[in-house]
Amino acid sequence: MENKLKCVRCRKKGVIHLKRHNAAFCQECFLYYYKNQVKKNTKRHRMFDKEDKVLVVISGGKDSMALWHILASEGYNVTGMYINLGIGQYSDKSQQVVESFAQKNGLELIVKDIKKEYGLDIYKLSKLLKRSTCSVCGSIKRYLFNKVAYDGGFSAVATGHNLDDEAATLLGNVLSWEEGYLARQSPVLESTHPKLVKKVKPLYTLTERENLFYVLINKIEFLHDECPHAVGARSILYKEVLNRLEEESPGTKQRFITSFLEKGRRHFQDAQEKLELRECSICGQVTTTEVCSFCRFVRLSNQNTES
Ligand code: Q46
Ligand code: ZN
């Protein structure tokens, strides 16, 4: 037991025990481990290198703040991107956290406000379209990540998805055998059109707990609250189930993801939807319909303010 609490690298007193690696680390060696994981992931999956311009999507939560911090401190050419989605106090508070971090650390940040810039309201749209708030919000976010990245000449869009997120998504997709999603689940989503920017997840082998530890030891401010609409999401239940499995058998989540990527994913490649991609007749962004969903949202919002 005592052995477990000694750092596996330097034998000093361990401050965090990672059961799935059967290893404890002191603060300094944990940072070495964390940095190494990010380095390995970006290299192994050819996500980006130091010459690339990377757009990092920031929500203000621990994962995206950790990602922004580690990439900037490792000398990558990163710009943060924050979208104010008009979700009451949650949006106001997160914007403050993100802006203050950028200012204190001299980091570049692009802020988009969907209400001020485009007149979009996710609540009104979700009512008008009879779609869930998260589905409307998700479409808007995906559109803006890509548009900002493409217009700004970025080589990749990086998100803070962690091991817990990836394992929960995989479990959800497996439970209903979502072949199309399984074919695409990967730490890297390559570009399939000249106007689509590659999406990458450099933290996909690090857990929520490790990201939390990283932000705490680096004294990075972050928003503790989750988006109020995340409450009750299916993914939270999947995370709880996986945590239970992890308790009994440490390493389950990592094995689930890495074995899927190594052995499982290829069996779903035929299920990749071969969608015909075209350019939106209004904004020129990639879509499968004549007018993209974002431009339809803007049109609908304008009609409803006029009437
Ligand atoms: S989709 Fe839904 Fe998230 Fe948008 S409304 Fe909040 S929970 S932020 S990842
Ligand atoms: Zn459009």
Side-chain angles (χ1 to χ4, degrees):
M1 183 69 193
E2 214 177 50
N3 220 10
K4 274 188 184 168
L5 295 173
K6 276 192 182 162
C7 173
V8 284
R9 273 189 82 227
C10 71
R11 313 307 297 162
K12 275 194 229 150
K13 189 174 177 284
V15 287
I16 183 165
H17 182 217
L18 307 184
K19 275 196 190 163
R20 74 180 186 291
H21 296 306
N22 194 22
F25 290 111
C26 69
Q27 195 162 302
E28 208 179 300
C29 294
F30 170 78
L31 288 176
Y32 175 85
Y33 152 83
Y34 191 94
K35 211 191 301 182
N36 224 19
Q37 286 285 313
V38 176
K39 219 196 253 173
K40 262 202 230 159
N41 294 344
T42 47
K43 243 188 165 169
R44 186 188 301 143
H45 298 283
R46 294 198 193 92
M47 293 183 179
F48 47 77
D49 54 37
K50 300 257 162 99
E51 279 72 53
D52 290 315
K53 266 178 80 178
V54 182
L55 186 70
V56 186
V57 172
I58 315 289
S59 67
K62 60 184 181 329
D63 305 302
S64 57
M65 294 304 276
L67 178 62
W68 199 9
H69 183 273
I70 183 94
L71 294 182
S73 28
E74 287 304 293
Y76 288 100
N77 182 359
V78 288
T79 298
M81 175 183 179
Y82 171 83
I83 307 177
N84 187 312
L85 297 154
I87 308 174
Q89 277 198 349
Y90 167 76
S91 287
D92 300 339
K93 276 203 254 168
S94 53
Q95 184 166 346
Q96 265 174 19
V97 167
V98 174
E99 283 180 333
S100 118
F101 183 77
Q103 211 185 12
K104 277 186 203 152
N105 295 281
L107 297 175
E108 297 216 20
L109 172 68
I110 298 172
V111 175
K112 291 269 155 198
D113 187 312
I114 63 162
K115 205 167 221 168
K116 285 189 196 147
E117 279 182 58
Y118 306 99
L120 298 177
D121 179 319
I122 57 168
Y123 302 106
K124 278 192 195 153
L125 282 166
S126 98
K127 253 192 206 154
L128 287 166
L129 296 160
K130 298 189 176 59
R131 274 171 61 177
S132 75
T133 324
C134 284
S135 130
V136 171
C137 175
S139 298
I140 294 174
K141 289 198 290 190
R142 279 193 299 279
Y143 175 90
L144 286 175
F145 297 158
N146 191 72
K147 179 170 170 49
V148 170
Y150 176 72
D151 291 348
F154 288 88
S155 328
V157 174
T159 54
H161 290 96
N162 56 43
L163 180 61
D164 303 74
D165 298 325
E166 291 304 288
T169 305
L170 181 57
L171 180 60
N173 289 338
V174 165
L175 288 175
S176 44
W177 293 111
E178 293 281 4
E179 295 171 293
Y181 289 138
L182 287 164
R184 271 183 302 157
Q185 184 163 354
S186 164
V188 177
L189 202 60
E190 293 291 350
S191 161
T192 49
H193 184 282
K195 282 189 164 182
L196 285 179
V197 182
K198 156 161 107 169
K199 314 279 182 315
V200 297
K201 301 169 184 170
L203 305 185
Y204 84 99
T205 54
L206 290 153
T207 61
E208 271 179 16
R209 177 169 167 255
E210 285 152 40
N211 289 341
L212 177 64
F213 199 60
Y214 182 85
V215 291
L216 292 177
I217 55 186
N218 284 292
K219 301 189 172 47
I220 301 166
E221 241 192 272
F222 67 99
L223 193 71
H224 295 244
D225 318 340
E226 292 260 0
C227 170
H229 302 288
V231 179
R234 233 350 119 74
S235 58
I236 296 182
L237 173 63
Y238 296 153
K239 281 186 183 175
E240 284 169 9
V241 171
L242 286 160
N243 283 342
R244 180 76 190 90
L245 290 168
E246 187 76 22
E247 254 174 53
E248 292 294 325
S249 170
T252 300
K253 288 181 209 174
Q254 188 136 7
R255 274 196 305 277
F256 189 35
I257 284 292
T258 47
S259 327
F260 168 71
L261 294 173
E262 281 164 18
K263 302 183 237 167
R265 190 169 166 261
R266 62 172 178 266
H267 298 292
F268 297 95
Q269 290 317 297
D270 291 347
Q272 285 254 38
E273 276 182 272
K274 305 269 181 301
L275 293 173
E276 203 191 309
L277 299 176
R278 52 203 285 186
E279 292 180 16
C280 168
S281 60
I282 299 179
C283 70
Q285 280 284 297
V286 181
T287 176
T288 50
T289 45
E290 205 213 319
V291 173
C292 75
S293 58
F294 187 87
C295 288
R296 276 185 274 137
F297 290 172
V298 174
R299 200 158 61 185
L300 191 63
S301 306
N302 289 341
Q303 281 165 358
N304 271 273
T305 20
E306 280 158 20
S307 54

